Amino acid sequence: DAKTTQPPSMDCAEGRAANLPCNHSTISGNEYVYWYRQIHSQGPQYIIHGLKNNETNEMASLIITEDRKSSTLILPHATLRDTAVYYCIVRGYTNAGKSTFGDGTTLTVKP
Amino acid sequence: DGGITQSPKYLFRKEGQNVTLSCEQNLNHDAMYWYRQDPGQGLRLIYYSQIVNDFQKGDIAEGYSVSREKKESFPLTVTSAQKNPTAFYLCASSLTGGDGPYNEQFFGPGTRLTVL
């Protein structure tokens, strides 16, 4: 699986959009980009994933660059409950479901 | 109510004892995974299983063992050979072990193991 690089921490004001970047410059053509988040002492929660097109669901939007070397997770209206560690990972057929989680980005939403 | 369960939430053991962590899923998923998480760090893959009666080592398998005798169960044994077993252990499952749309991992609540 391709490695990912994320900033260690970010702050966001409550009600504003949170934009979390992820670099995955070695991603290959059949690898998907997945985003999860982990609230303290809980299991990670799936947020969204995509291959090459932008995706949106009830939780977030995922913007993937045309060359697929980076992506941005957007939480459109961050709330205090969005404070968590956000993980960006890539997964593909070659590693049969193995997912490497880096240290993620700690997002702190402030009132 | 479908999901993935881990028990117990907190577990204490004496050094040198083997301990088995439970993971059960009723999502009818083929693939299951075990991760270890140390404070302030990300998840590291211990073992994974793509199908019943088959499993593969992950990045940090030494000192751990697993079995996959039933589709819904994937217990992890932390053996006395694991030099630093105190950690937060997370179990996950996914529809298949391959990839494609809608193959996200579902995680359990975790077991916090403390070896005294």
Side-chain angles (χ1 to χ4, degrees):
Chain A
D1 286 335
K3 291 185 177 179
T4 61
T5 304
Q6 299 177 255
S9 64
M10 293 181 64
D11 291 342
C12 177
E14 189 178 18
R16 303 296 294 269
N19 298 295
L20 290 88
C22 180
N23 288 324
H24 31 80
S25 58
T26 59
I27 193 170
S28 60
N30 64 356
E31 290 184 319
Y32 286 75
V33 180
Y34 284 78
W35 282 83
Y36 294 81
R37 73 179 181 185
Q38 185 179 25
I39 296 171
H40 184 62
S41 295
Q42 297 181 22
Q45 174 192 22
Y46 164 80
I47 301 173
I48 198 168
H49 76 280
L51 183 62
K52 56 182 179 180
N53 297 321
N54 298 338
E55 303 287 345
T56 296
N57 63 20
E58 64 277 5
M59 292 182 67
S61 294
L62 174 61
I63 308 297
I64 302 174
T65 57
E66 193 169 342
D67 62 9
R68 302 206 327 121
K69 292 184 177 182
S70 65
S71 60
T72 300
L73 178 74
I74 301 172
L75 307 178
H77 305 287
T79 70
L80 299 179
R81 288 180 295 180
D82 291 322
T83 292
V85 179
Y86 287 78
Y87 296 100
C88 164
I89 64 170
V90 292
R91 293 176 60 189
Y93 289 104
T94 55
N95 280 335
K98 286 179 65 175
S99 298
T100 300
F101 286 73
D103 291 338
T105 296
T106 299
L107 174 69
T108 303
V109 180
K110 298 184 175 181
Chain B
D1 189 21
I4 182 165
T5 58
Q6 293 183 245
S7 61
K9 189 173 178 65
Y10 298 95
L11 189 56
F12 297 88
R13 280 294 182 268
K14 292 183 178 180
E15 190 173 353
Q17 289 182 334
N18 291 354
V19 59
T20 298
L21 281 59
S22 167
C23 177
E24 303 279 331
Q25 55 98 359
N26 60 4
L27 300 167
N28 201 32
H29 285 172
D30 282 330
M32 297 187 73
Y33 313 79
W34 274 104
Y35 292 89
R36 169 186 173 132
Q37 187 173 37
D38 292 289
Q41 298 185 24
L43 283 65
R44 291 184 291 168
L45 183 66
I46 305 172
Y47 268 98
Y48 66 102
S49 168
Q50 295 177 260
I51 200 166
V52 175
N53 293 321
D54 183 62
F55 48 83
Q56 307 294 329
K57 291 182 178 180
D59 300 319
I60 56 165
E62 186 175 350
Y64 300 98
S65 66
V66 293
S67 62
R68 187 83 188 279
E69 297 177 0
K70 298 186 295 183
K71 187 175 186 178
E72 59 270 23
S73 179
F74 191 41
L76 173 74
T77 297
V78 184
T79 75
S80 56
Q82 169 50 234
K83 296 178 180 178
N84 185 20
T86 295
F88 187 46
Y89 290 88
L90 287 156
C91 180
S93 69
S94 63
L95 190 60
T96 72
D99 210 331
Y102 312 111
N103 199 29
E104 66 268 25
Q105 290 175 305
F106 292 79
F107 284 83
T111 292
R112 192 166 297 279
L113 173 65
T114 301
V115 176
L116 306 172

